[in-house]
Amino acid sequence: MMFVLRMAARETRSSWRRLLFFFVCIAVGVAAIVALRSVIQSVRQVIGGEARSLIAADVLIATNRDWTPNARATIDRRLAEFGAYARTEAIETPTMVRPADPSRPVAKMAELRAVQSAFPLYGAVELREGQQYSHALIANHGALVRPELLTALNVKAGEQIAIGTTTFTIRGVIAKEPGRGVGDFSLGPRVIIDYADLESTGLLSFGSRARRVMSLKVPDDRIEPLVRTLRVDFKDEFINTRSYRSNEDQVGRDFDRAENYLSLVGLIIVILGGIAVSSVTRVFILQKMRSIAVLKCVGARSAQIISVYILQVVALGLAGSLLGVAMARGAIAAIPIALGSSSSILSQAKYGVTWSAALQGIGIGVLVSLLFSVVPLLHVRLIRPSLLLRDEKSKRRVDWTTIAVTVAVAVALVALTAWQAASVRIGLVVCGGFAGLAIVLVLAGRGLVAAVSPLANARSFPLRHAVLHLSRPGNQTRVVLLAVGLGAFFIVGVRSLQASLLDEFSIQTAADSPDMFLLDIQRAQESGVRAFLSDPAHGAGEFQLIPVLRARVVGVSGRETNLATVEDVRQRGVSIGREFTLTYRDHLESNERIVEGAFWRGPSSEPEVSVEKMIADRAKLHVGDTMRFDILGRIVSPRITSIRDVAWRESRNGGFVFLFRPGVLEQAPQTFVAPLKGPSGVEARGRFQHDLVERFPNVSVIDFREILDTLRDVMSKVTLAITVVGGLVLFSGALILIGAVAMTKFQRVYEAAVFKTLGANTRAIARMLLYEYGVLGSLAGVIGSAGAVVLTWGVSRYALDIPWRVFPAEHVVGVLLTSLLVALIGVFSSLDVLRNKPLATLRAE
Amino acid sequence: MIQLREVSKTVTSGTEPLTILHPLTLDIPRGQFVAIVGPSGSGKSTLLGLIAGLDAPTSGRVLIDGVDITALGEDALAKLRGEKIGFVFQFFHLIPSLTAYENVAVPMEIAGAQNVRTRAAALLEEVGLTGRAHHYPSQLSGGEQQRVALARALANDPPLVLADEPTGNLDTTNGRHIMDLLRSIHVSRRTTVVLVTHDAELASLADARLTLRDGRVVDNTLVLRQAQDEGEQEPLVLSRSKREFGS
């Protein structure tokens, strides 16, 4: 044992520089796992600790419609039955807010929350500058606002703002409020007013998007029974009931998924590092062959020698993992800086490396180091001490031990992946993917080497020898192609996927597209708004007023799908169980085309509907099927007469899943929305919004240009996350490249020295190296790039459900860069050979 | 000490078999200093490797102290080498990542010996390298490296030392120094030494000499029982003097 320990220490002492690379590969992967898991766990802790204040209640009942008398009666009965002992109601709606001072012509979208005196049941409203919250602050037309609104409207606390038709006084600035969900997207900053004052604003008109919320305190043991009972009571209504626990469970499940997905990404990065480790170990053993033969000559058994190197691997894996934890710590420290002064609950978490994530990361780092080293280390058994007397190639025979250990390693990797992903299926898929990819790379490599073999007759000496080297005995071509090809595969694949995702997320405004959207235009206001928009003085460009109605699907009688009740629709109707916004018109928009059936001409009293293709496919709806819609209590049964393909990315005039034929819905209660081209210039746009809202206080204006900034900010964080993860994978792929190329150095060193003694000058040898590595790199780049095309197709189609796009530039650049990188690494790693006298190299041999 | 019975070695060169050693039978008693001589390619190093158990014969048996080493597995052979055989190579074959001291200590550590530090220091002193104990092989001259290799070969006080062209890579002065050390070890420890050399002058320092050519014995001061193709058998005679049969 002492021999093993001492030798392991001595070997590490002498070769730590060479093994530094090994160390870094593991560190990067472990850092990814530890950082990702720690962040999720930190956020989860906050949410777990504030579960009740997340919804500011034990039980929450919410609806987008008015409380009907029946609904109220049912709720009152159930609350009495289940012993609810506190209750408060609130109404939330997005709306336009403007300074009361007419000389300031600006208006902004805000998220209005009208609360009663018992709010909040849990948590606390925190105000800036030490001000204490009390309901008295908002009574009699007081308002509490977020600091962003002050900036947007250029007002201060104490000044007045207009909400709808009423003026409110800003009496405090909100720092933190309970009942704001994690990652909720908001159209504007929060404004809190008294529930009793909302009516006076005139905002609760027909079709308004106000959300009515009832928050309850219920004895702990009655919470879930109450929720279950209310869900049954309201199964046919658009009334949603949940408890802080179901919220917690749902959030918990979401976090589980996020944690497992991100850990899987981290594990893939570690595995990429492990592949690099395997290359390094292989080379390391090849370089140590004589030393190992000497040890066997002086009495060491294979098991003892293997133990020495395994101990070294474990020590390096552990050191690399600890470095990875330190790197994760550094990365996590940057999160609060990145979040800044966000009011989101994410900024309330105390970010740091959690013990659980650190231990897991370290365990995985050491395990992966071992798993990827053990097969190359088995080669030690085959090194014979007679090597010291004679360079004799041992006969190749089937090595059952290596086969058995390889199988065991594969099983262990599957188990490890399954553990990280919390799914055996995913574990098998990921490992199967790696294995399949490796096989394809090896076969493709063989084919390509055969394809370039005619170049062995080239007139150029360096090119000829470069190609000959690819297929000579003892060549490393297959292994290098596999390792470099894998690196190129991941690099090009991730870059292409990244480009697809960023392209999908990109929000662009064409010069002539609508850039403003008006909502909640009442029927009685239609002509007035039309006149306002048509008046050149207001500076609006092209516009249209689109009627919209809210409805839900309550049945389908069709060729493939038959749903008799709303219950059936909710349970079995894929993608159609929610509320929809309908419209009716007699023409197609520019982003729509009919793919099945025929579009109507003119109105008809017989109801007809055109269904969007994706929904039709998912819900298995066909031309000729009949659907039943509940539109504000009235059942309409249109026949499906066409299926439409909608280019959602170009839906500037609104995209609708269900489009009705004119002639049926004109008399139904409806509101209007109006996409329009707003005035140019910030001031003109501000004045336009202000004047519009002053005349029509209930109308909301969404300015795409402002929303774009908000959306871009959100998307930039998403793309940053994608880019960071993609970058880590790129880095790991690059490490594989470097390791794979460097591992051929020791062969090149000797050959180059011999060529020099035979008369080749430095330039000729450098060109030989360049060509050989360049050819290897090009082959690997082509294989990896081709594989990346398949990867992006599979992931786009089956995982992300986004259109598959090929980015030729990514692939061409990928091949060129791989070739260049491999060539440069190959030459640079052989610089000492090119510079030194050959004798030193030959003597060392 | 060493018994070879009908030992031969054939390898495959390309696709053709190549007989490096034709079947031979040999006894080397304990305490002898035997030189194996012959031109390059005569099979000297191969014979030495077979005796050391570094290589396996194509046919025949090799016995060391009565133990048939051709029947042993690799691990058992390694143990045997660690306990009974010290080997000195032409190209030293020191482990480059270990110091001189560590190279000498390794066989003792493998064998789990006590007082490793003291014994290694003593061995280095015996070969005159006390002041170079913490130098790496790359920092030592060829002669110094070979002396370290010799000290390593003696680490576990083996009864048998095998030396394959130990002076082949050294200048005359260093070569003589190594031979003097080998002789001194043979005399002081009564170690059996089998030396391979192509240098007749060095071979003359041995007690007995065996001459190989093209894998066959052509001259010997130890009479061999060599299985000729015709099946002739000759009696075994042990020689005590190198002068008796001339050089």
Side-chain angles (χ1 to χ4, degrees):
Chain A
M1 191 60 198
M2 287 311 296
F3 161 68
V4 169
L5 287 170
R6 284 195 185 120
M7 273 308 290
R10 290 162 185 161
E11 283 289 334
T12 308
R13 175 194 71 197
S14 66
S15 40
W16 69 268
R17 278 193 197 86
R18 259 183 291 173
L19 297 172
L20 199 60
F21 177 75
F22 176 126
F23 184 73
V24 169
C25 290
I26 296 299
V28 167
V30 168
I33 288 184
V34 171
L36 294 171
R37 275 204 185 265
S38 291
V39 164
I40 298 284
Q41 288 171 9
S42 296
V43 174
R44 181 182 252 176
Q45 261 172 11
V46 164
I47 287 170
E50 299 204 19
R52 279 185 160 100
S53 68
L54 216 58
I55 61 170
D58 290 328
V59 175
L60 207 70
I61 312 172
T63 180
N64 289 340
R65 318 247 167 128
D66 267 329
W67 295 112
T68 62
N70 275 347
R72 278 197 180 275
T74 304
I75 291 169
D76 290 342
R77 191 175 74 246
R78 293 301 186 200
L79 297 193
E81 200 179 307
F82 285 86
Y85 57 93
R87 166 180 179 166
T88 186
E89 292 188 35
I91 297 180
E92 297 164 8
T93 183
T95 190
M96 301 301 287
V97 176
R98 60 200 188 282
D101 179 356
S103 68
R104 293 195 217 166
V106 61
K108 292 292 170 203
M109 180 80 89
E111 296 257 354
L112 187 66
R113 194 181 201 183
V115 301
Q116 296 178 335
S117 58
F119 173 85
L121 294 184
Y122 289 101
V125 178
E126 289 177 20
L127 302 177
R128 281 198 172 182
E129 286 164 29
Q131 202 178 0
Q132 286 292 318
Y133 169 78
S134 77
H135 192 75
L137 279 175
I138 56 176
N140 294 316
H141 299 101
L144 304 173
V145 305
R146 282 283 308 171
E148 302 87 78
L149 189 69
L150 298 179
T151 311
L153 297 181
N154 193 21
V155 294
K156 294 194 292 286
E159 292 184 350
Q160 292 192 318
I161 51 176
I163 303 174
T165 54
T166 311
T167 302
F168 289 79
T169 305
I170 300 172
R171 297 201 185 127
V173 182
I174 303 168
K176 186 178 144 186
E177 66 169 304
R180 192 108 196 196
V182 176
D184 277 355
F185 177 75
S186 61
L187 286 169
R190 173 68 87 203
V191 175
I192 297 178
I193 64 172
D194 191 351
Y195 189 95
D197 292 335
L198 183 58
E199 194 71 41
S200 65
T201 62
L203 294 175
L204 298 178
S205 48
F206 170 77
S208 74
R209 286 162 300 118
R211 182 167 169 260
R212 283 131 176 106
V213 178
M214 220 178 268
S215 304
L216 310 167
K217 272 188 173 177
V218 182
D220 258 1
D221 60 336
R222 312 311 309 271
I223 292 175
E224 294 309 318
L226 173 61
V227 169
R228 279 195 296 272
T229 306
L230 286 172
R231 283 181 179 165
V232 169
D233 287 341
F234 295 130
K235 66 177 173 17
D236 293 339
E237 315 280 341
F238 276 101
I239 295 176
N240 175 267
T241 312
R242 60 193 167 113
S243 71
Y244 81 93
R245 277 191 208 132
S246 54
N247 195 59
E248 196 179 38
D249 287 346
Q250 179 58 45
V251 169
R253 276 194 294 276
D254 289 341
F255 273 112
D256 277 342
R257 260 198 297 274
E259 193 176 341
N260 291 333
Y261 167 69
L262 291 172
S263 291
L264 189 58
V265 171
L267 180 66
I268 288 175
I269 295 171
V270 175
I271 289 178
L272 290 179
I275 293 170
V277 158
S278 185
S279 302
V280 168
T281 308
R282 221 179 110 86
V283 153
F284 187 67
I285 294 302
L286 287 173
Q287 290 174 324
K288 288 282 177 181
M289 275 174 70
R290 287 199 192 277
S291 296
I292 291 168
V294 168
L295 284 172
K296 287 192 175 185
C297 194
V298 299
R301 290 171 280 119
S302 292
Q304 283 176 304
I305 300 171
I306 291 175
S307 300
V308 168
Y309 292 115
I310 286 198
L311 199 55
Q312 205 176 3
V313 161
V314 169
L316 284 169
L318 185 61
S321 301
L322 289 172
L323 175 65
V325 171
M327 285 163 63
R329 211 165 158 211
I332 288 171
I335 292 177
I337 301 166
L339 283 174
S341 59
S342 161
S343 63
S344 148
I345 199 166
L346 295 176
S347 61
Q348 295 164 30
K350 296 240 179 323
Y351 292 100
V353 170
T354 62
W355 275 108
S356 144
L359 288 172
Q360 247 190 68
I362 292 170
I364 290 170
V366 172
L367 197 55
V368 166
S369 304
L370 260 176
L371 289 174
F372 279 94
S373 305
V374 74
V375 172
L377 283 177
L378 288 177
H379 187 69
V380 166
R381 293 158 39 247
L382 306 176
I383 296 172
R384 300 176 63 83
S386 56
L387 177 70
L388 300 172
L389 300 174
R390 181 174 60 244
D391 255 344
E392 182 190 74
K393 291 272 177 283
S394 52
K395 283 199 193 93
R396 266 196 166 182
R397 51 172 215 276
V398 175
D399 183 0
W400 290 109
T401 307
T402 301
I403 291 171
V405 170
T406 306
V407 169
V409 165
V411 168
L413 277 174
V414 170
L416 183 62
T417 314
W419 169 43
Q420 285 297 290
S423 161
V424 173
R425 189 179 73 89
I426 293 179
L428 283 167
V429 166
V430 170
C431 290
F434 266 107
L437 177 64
I439 291 170
V440 167
L441 283 172
V442 166
L443 292 174
R446 273 194 207 155
L448 275 172
V449 167
V452 301
S453 58
L455 288 174
N457 299 319
R459 294 180 74 173
S460 158
F461 167 79
L463 181 60
R464 201 162 62 239
H465 275 272
V467 172
L468 281 172
H469 279 161
L470 292 178
S471 49
R472 58 147 194 207
N475 72 78
Q476 298 291 322
T477 303
R478 195 183 61 206
V479 178
V480 172
L481 276 181
L482 175 62
V484 176
L486 260 180
F489 168 79
F490 279 107
I491 290 173
V492 177
V494 165
R495 292 259 331 152
S496 299
L497 271 173
Q498 197 166 307
S500 286
L501 280 168
L502 294 178
D503 197 44
E504 191 68 11
F505 289 150
S506 73
I507 302 153
Q508 293 168 26
T509 43
D512 55 349
S513 310
D515 58 8
M516 268 191 182
F517 214 75
L518 307 187
L519 303 169
D520 298 331
I521 302 169
Q522 301 299 303
R523 195 174 200 134
Q525 296 169 322
E526 186 199 349
S527 53
V529 168
R530 199 180 285 280
F532 181 96
L533 296 177
S534 304
D535 184 351
H538 295 121
E542 276 193 37
F543 69 91
Q544 53 173 308
L545 265 74
I546 301 173
V548 294
L549 304 88
R550 275 194 271 165
R552 59 179 176 171
V553 178
V554 296
V556 178
S557 303
R559 198 195 321 164
E560 252 190 282
T561 302
N562 279 288
L563 303 165
T565 65
V566 67
E567 195 70 31
D568 286 344
V569 171
R570 279 210 171 161
Q571 288 184 1
R572 295 189 289 120
V574 179
S575 301
I576 56 174
R578 60 174 175 90
E579 196 174 49
F580 289 93
T581 302
L582 319 173
T583 191
Y584 55 90
R585 55 176 142 83
D586 59 2
H587 61 274
L588 289 170
E589 294 290 350
S590 57
N591 64 326
E592 296 174 319
R593 65 184 177 94
I594 299 295
V595 295
E596 205 181 317
F599 197 68
W600 46 74
R601 273 195 205 147
S604 166
S605 55
E606 286 301 314
E608 289 178 33
V609 69
S610 174
V611 182
E612 188 272 334
K613 185 176 182 322
M614 251 190 321
I615 296 289
D617 287 344
R618 284 184 192 157
K620 296 188 174 46
L621 302 171
H622 302 281
V623 171
D625 291 356
T626 302
M627 298 186 73
R628 283 191 299 288
F629 288 86
D630 177 347
I631 305 175
L632 292 170
R634 184 184 151 206
I635 304 296
V636 178
S637 303
R639 191 167 54 88
I640 299 175
T641 52
S642 63
I643 308 289
R644 266 170 313 129
D645 183 48
V646 177
W648 293 99
R649 286 162 57 85
E650 293 150 33
S651 307
R652 289 283 173 250
N653 295 328
F656 293 89
V657 170
F658 296 110
L659 171 63
F660 274 66
R661 184 174 186 173
V664 172
L665 298 181
E666 281 80 343
Q667 302 309 313
Q670 57 200 251
T671 57
F672 290 81
V673 299
L676 65 131
K677 181 81 180 140
S680 46
V682 172
E683 272 191 38
R685 292 172 83 83
R687 188 184 313 276
F688 171 87
Q689 292 181 59
H690 175 270
D691 293 348
L692 178 76
V693 170
E694 202 171 41
R695 258 190 80 179
F696 308 101
N698 58 289
V699 172
S700 299
V701 183
I702 297 179
D703 188 337
F704 278 138
R705 288 193 192 177
E706 288 180 8
I707 295 296
L708 271 179
D709 287 341
T710 307
L711 283 175
R712 278 203 183 105
D713 186 51
V714 171
M715 289 307 150
S716 72
K717 291 190 169 62
V718 172
T719 55
L720 177 65
I722 295 170
T723 306
V724 164
V725 172
L728 281 174
V729 177
L730 286 186
F731 185 61
S732 297
L735 290 178
I736 296 178
L737 280 179
I738 294 168
V741 171
M743 79 181 203
T744 64
K745 177 189 171 176
F746 78 105
Q747 285 176 320
R748 303 286 175 263
V749 162
Y750 181 71
E751 287 162 15
V754 172
F755 274 121
K756 270 192 168 182
T757 60
L758 294 174
N761 62 22
T762 305
R763 242 174 67 174
I765 295 172
R767 274 166 64 201
M768 202 183 324
L769 290 170
L770 254 176
Y771 284 154
E772 182 178 351
Y773 283 120
V775 169
L776 261 180
S778 302
L779 288 178
V782 165
I783 297 169
S785 195
V789 171
V790 177
L791 172 73
T792 51
W793 171 79
V795 174
S796 298
R797 174 113 160 63
Y798 294 106
L800 299 176
D801 197 19
I802 59 174
W804 175 50
R805 297 178 188 85
V806 178
F807 295 89
E810 293 288 345
H811 293 275
V812 168
V813 168
V815 173
L816 289 174
L817 275 181
T818 305
S819 175
L820 187 64
L821 187 65
V822 170
L824 286 175
I825 291 170
V827 171
F828 275 115
S829 67
S830 311
L831 265 182
D832 52 349
V833 167
L834 295 174
R835 279 199 296 251
N836 293 347
K837 296 266 185 234
L839 188 59
T841 310
L842 292 173
R843 268 206 177 134
E845 286 293 313
Chain B
M1 172 95 225
I2 303 169
Q3 293 166 299
L4 277 69
R5 296 287 178 263
E6 299 291 312
V7 168
S8 73
K9 181 68 182 179
T10 303
V11 297
T12 305
S13 174
T15 52
E16 297 295 316
L18 174 67
T19 301
I20 299 179
L21 271 182
H22 292 271
L24 66 87
T25 297
L26 170 68
D27 281 1
I28 299 177
R30 189 177 296 275
Q32 287 286 299
F33 191 143
V34 178
I36 302 176
V37 299
S40 290
S42 58
K44 311 186 295 294
S45 298
T46 302
L47 178 58
L48 205 68
L50 290 172
I51 293 171
L54 296 181
D55 206 352
T58 307
S59 68
R61 292 184 307 147
V62 178
L63 293 97
I64 305 288
D65 270 354
V67 175
D68 182 358
I69 68 170
T70 46
L72 295 180
E74 269 306 317
D75 285 351
L77 275 173
K79 189 165 183 285
L80 181 98
R81 284 193 292 268
E83 288 170 357
K84 291 191 186 293
I85 304 173
F87 209 108
V88 182
F89 297 93
Q90 178 180 358
F91 294 102
F92 328 133
H93 287 313
L94 297 179
I95 297 175
S97 53
L98 305 182
T99 62
Y101 159 78
E102 288 164 348
N103 267 283
V104 173
V106 155
M108 292 186 248
E109 288 167 355
I110 291 170
Q114 303 294 317
N115 303 319
V116 170
R117 196 179 284 278
T118 313
R119 288 171 57 189
L123 282 166
L124 284 171
E125 191 183 340
E126 193 174 336
V127 298
L129 284 176
T130 305
R132 307 285 267 161
H134 298 295
H135 286 79
Y136 288 92
S138 58
Q139 297 169 309
L140 303 173
S141 69
E144 288 170 335
Q145 288 188 59
Q146 195 63 296
R147 281 188 271 162
V148 174
L150 191 50
R152 180 181 66 187
L154 299 172
N156 286 325
D157 203 14
L160 172 64
V161 169
L162 306 174
D164 182 14
E165 303 267 17
T167 62
N169 237 27
L170 303 175
D171 58 77
T172 316
T173 308
N174 276 308
R176 191 160 291 282
H177 194 176
I178 292 297
M179 284 307 296
D180 289 341
L181 279 170
L182 272 172
R183 262 310 306 175
S184 135
I185 285 158
H186 164 67
V187 168
S188 62
R189 293 163 184 249
R190 300 198 59 75
T191 308
T192 306
V193 177
V194 179
L195 164 76
V196 160
T197 181
H198 63 268
D199 187 330
E201 196 184 335
L202 290 177
S204 67
L205 299 174
D207 296 333
R209 198 169 62 218
L210 184 68
T211 308
L212 296 182
R213 183 169 290 134
D214 295 329
R216 293 173 198 276
V217 176
V218 297
D219 186 24
N220 61 82
T221 59
L222 291 169
V223 174
L224 306 171
R225 194 177 298 280
Q226 180 170 352
Q228 304 284 353
D229 291 343
E230 297 77 18
E232 258 185 287
Q233 304 223 331
E234 289 185 7
L236 178 69
V237 172
L238 202 63
S239 166
R240 299 280 181 215
S241 165
K242 67 178 188 290
R243 290 183 198 284
E244 201 170 324
F245 292 93
S247 60

